[in-house]
Amino acid sequence: MAREQWGTKLGFMLAAMGSAVGLGNIWRFSFVAGNNGGGAFLLLYLGCVFLIGIPLLLTEVSIGRKAKSDVVGSYQKLAPKTPWFFTGFFGIFSAFLILSFYAVVAGWSLYYFFNYVTGNFFEAPAEAGFGAVFGGFISQGWQPLFWTALFMAMVIFIVVSGVKKGIETANKIFMPLLALLLIVLAVFSLSLDGAMEGLAFLFQPDWSAFSQPSIYVQALGQAFFSLSLGMGALLTYGSYLSDDKKLPGAAVGIGLMDTFFAVISGLVIFPAVFAFSIDPSSGPPLVFITLPTIFEQMPLGGIVGLIFFFALSLAALSSAISILEVPTAYFMRLFSWSRKKSSIIVGSIMFFFGIFVSLGFGIWSDVTPIGEKNILDSMDYIASNILLPLGGLSMALFVGWYFKKATALKAVDLKDDLMGSTWYGIVKFIVPVVILIIFVSSL
Ligand code: ILE
């Protein structure tokens, strides 16, 4: 059977942007920034995106496009009889870990959407506010699992039936709409009493924070997570791209777009966090408490909330399908499974892990696999802060050191000029050195 291909470069761009923009920009960015002091984190995050993220994004897509195979097969094809294919397993493992908790959080988003459809969340149902509402919801057993299962079923359905085109088309409408909503929300949030404190939190770095090694790891991990980097999603999407499509512009476009969504989310969340006296280091629940509180205060907030959670769920969906695609494509080739069989099996395993993640907010809330971290935080930590950067490191070494310069440049459609040499130097020297330093200092 011939390998599938994107019809046009725009199709690829939309899919790759759909992959990048997701819960990571709004949900994860906000709570990680909140946990790590705001301004200092933002600065390091932006540094990681531009210095490491975008050059590696270009690298990852180019590996897939050159090899036209899955995340493991690509290395086997480009470097036969070498151990480079282990790089691919970073992607496979991260994909399993990440989608297992991503589906749980996306389930929360679906639940919120549902509660805006019914009008339940137009006003905080209890005196205690949305913090208590959210806490009550995630600590139940079945209800959050139902929404996780529903989300996972949708992801599998899309990956099986190849209606990705439908999702891309929907994203054409809803991504700009989400951007517009975020801008409106940011303006509203900034007009709240006490908003300036939030702005200062986000944009005035506390310089003493730079002496903590953990904040570097967090910034690097967030850059990888948000750009869908190191999990094989971009490599796999790149493998469906024909050789005549130029990559560098696409890579920069995806990176800028993704960063825009993160920064604007920060402008929505932090002014409101301070205005409503919410603790910025509330962790994963942060946006699920802050957003409905904003919607409750603004005119037509119920409708805005409804559209917002619809768009957020859709953004999560287009990200999730890119993650499920990674092991799906791998097992299809490895075991000669059909797309249907592969994605159902992989998706079911992820859902199974998701059960643990979800119960980690309820009956298993005292299960802390790593330090004080609950199940979600532990899985997220291993995947985002360890596996993704190591996968990225390995990828940079592969293209920087295994390929000859001319081969590497050709793979990414750059010439041996200033721009090409800059990219090559970054991938060959700077990326490995920076990732290693961040790693070693955090140990
Ligand atoms: N990049 C997306 C996001 O930020 C996903 C991360 C794919 C796992 O939500």
Side-chain angles (χ1 to χ4, degrees):
M1 202 177 75
R3 258 181 91 74
E4 296 140 286
Q5 262 202 7
W6 304 109
T8 58
K9 183 171 169 184
L10 182 68
F12 164 77
M13 282 290 284
L14 289 174
M17 282 181 181
S19 169
V21 176
L23 296 169
N25 306 64
I26 297 169
W27 162 74
R28 197 177 187 283
F29 173 81
S30 306
F31 87 74
V32 179
N35 277 345
N36 290 281
F41 171 84
L42 179 64
L43 213 60
L44 290 175
Y45 165 71
L46 292 176
C48 288
V49 166
F50 289 100
L51 188 69
I52 298 177
I54 294 179
L56 271 188
L57 203 158
L58 179 59
T59 310
E60 180 168 340
V61 176
S62 79
I63 296 174
R65 187 185 62 167
K66 191 171 164 62
K68 307 260 177 333
S69 184
D70 56 83
V71 66
V72 176
S74 286
Y75 292 94
Q76 288 170 331
K77 227 166 156 178
L78 297 177
K81 303 202 183 64
T82 66
W84 280 110
F85 67 91
F86 277 110
T87 309
F89 289 116
F90 285 109
I92 300 280
F93 282 127
S94 323
F96 270 100
L97 280 174
I98 291 176
L99 197 47
S100 300
F101 68 79
Y102 203 86
V104 173
V105 181
W108 300 346
S109 173
L110 283 180
Y111 172 76
Y112 269 55
F113 169 61
F114 174 73
N115 277 285
Y116 277 97
V117 172
T118 59
N120 252 347
F121 275 10
F122 281 21
E123 278 166 43
E127 274 174 25
F130 284 104
V133 174
F134 182 71
F137 163 63
I138 52 170
S139 61
Q140 293 168 21
W142 290 107
Q143 236 199 347
L145 279 179
F146 165 77
W147 294 99
T148 305
L150 180 66
F151 180 79
M152 207 58 187
M154 285 159 55
V155 178
I156 294 174
F157 175 76
I158 294 167
V159 170
V160 172
S161 62
V163 294
K164 280 196 216 83
K165 284 215 180 67
I167 289 293
E168 283 151 30
T169 321
N171 266 329
K172 244 193 242 180
I173 303 165
F174 283 98
M175 246 205 271
L177 188 66
L178 187 62
L180 191 75
L181 274 183
L182 285 170
I183 294 171
V184 173
L185 288 172
V187 172
F188 180 77
S189 201
L190 286 167
S191 73
L192 294 166
D193 275 345
M196 286 312 131
E197 223 183 312
L199 265 194
F201 178 79
L202 191 59
F203 292 112
Q204 270 175 14
D206 164 10
W207 298 104
S208 68
F210 288 104
S211 59
Q212 294 160 12
S214 66
I215 175 175
Y216 296 83
V217 181
Q218 296 286 351
L220 185 69
Q222 176 59 22
F224 271 84
F225 189 97
S226 191
L227 293 170
S228 299
L229 205 59
M231 49 192 90
L234 294 167
L235 190 153
T236 308
Y237 273 9
S239 76
Y240 306 131
L241 196 61
S242 61
D243 294 329
D244 53 332
K245 311 283 191 301
K246 297 277 171 278
L247 298 182
V252 174
I254 297 164
L256 287 178
M257 166 105 162
D258 190 67
T259 310
F260 165 81
F261 272 94
V263 174
I264 195 90
S265 305
L267 284 175
V268 174
I269 301 296
F270 290 107
V273 158
F274 284 88
F276 303 138
S277 313
I278 297 168
D279 177 7
S281 54
S282 312
L286 183 67
V287 297
F288 288 95
I289 299 169
T290 312
L291 285 168
T293 314
I294 303 178
F295 298 140
E296 194 189 20
Q297 308 269 325
M298 73 189 295
L300 296 178
I303 308 292
V304 178
L306 189 151
I307 306 174
F308 183 89
F309 281 105
F310 182 76
L312 183 65
S313 304
L314 199 71
L317 200 57
S318 60
S319 296
I321 56 181
S322 75
I323 315 177
L324 183 59
E325 184 69 27
V326 176
T328 297
Y330 171 61
F331 289 116
M332 275 168 73
R333 180 184 55 87
L334 190 68
F335 300 131
S336 305
W337 285 349
S338 66
R339 170 166 281 278
K340 186 170 174 185
K341 183 168 176 187
S342 191
S343 52
I344 291 179
I345 292 178
V346 172
S348 305
I349 297 173
M350 290 165 169
F351 172 69
F352 177 73
F353 289 135
I355 297 177
F356 294 83
V357 174
S358 188
L359 294 179
F361 288 92
I363 49 170
W364 287 339
S365 56
D366 47 2
V367 179
T368 52
I370 303 179
E372 310 237 290
K373 295 181 167 51
N374 69 12
I375 301 179
L376 185 151
D377 288 333
S378 300
M379 285 167 68
D380 180 26
Y381 188 84
I382 296 175
S384 311
N385 295 349
I386 300 176
L387 294 179
L388 297 183
L390 284 183
L393 170 68
S394 181
M395 205 158 68
L397 293 175
F398 179 66
V399 171
W401 296 86
Y402 182 78
F403 281 179
K404 295 205 177 58
K405 186 177 180 188
T407 318
L409 286 174
K410 186 162 180 274
V412 295
D413 303 321
L414 286 173
K415 292 195 196 66
D416 198 351
D417 52 12
L418 183 65
M419 200 154 91
S421 299
T422 309
W423 167 80
Y424 186 69
I426 290 177
V427 169
K428 185 165 179 138
F429 301 109
I430 299 188
V431 170
V433 169
V434 173
I435 294 183
L436 276 177
I437 292 179
I438 292 182
F439 251 87
V440 172
S441 63
S442 74
L443 292 178

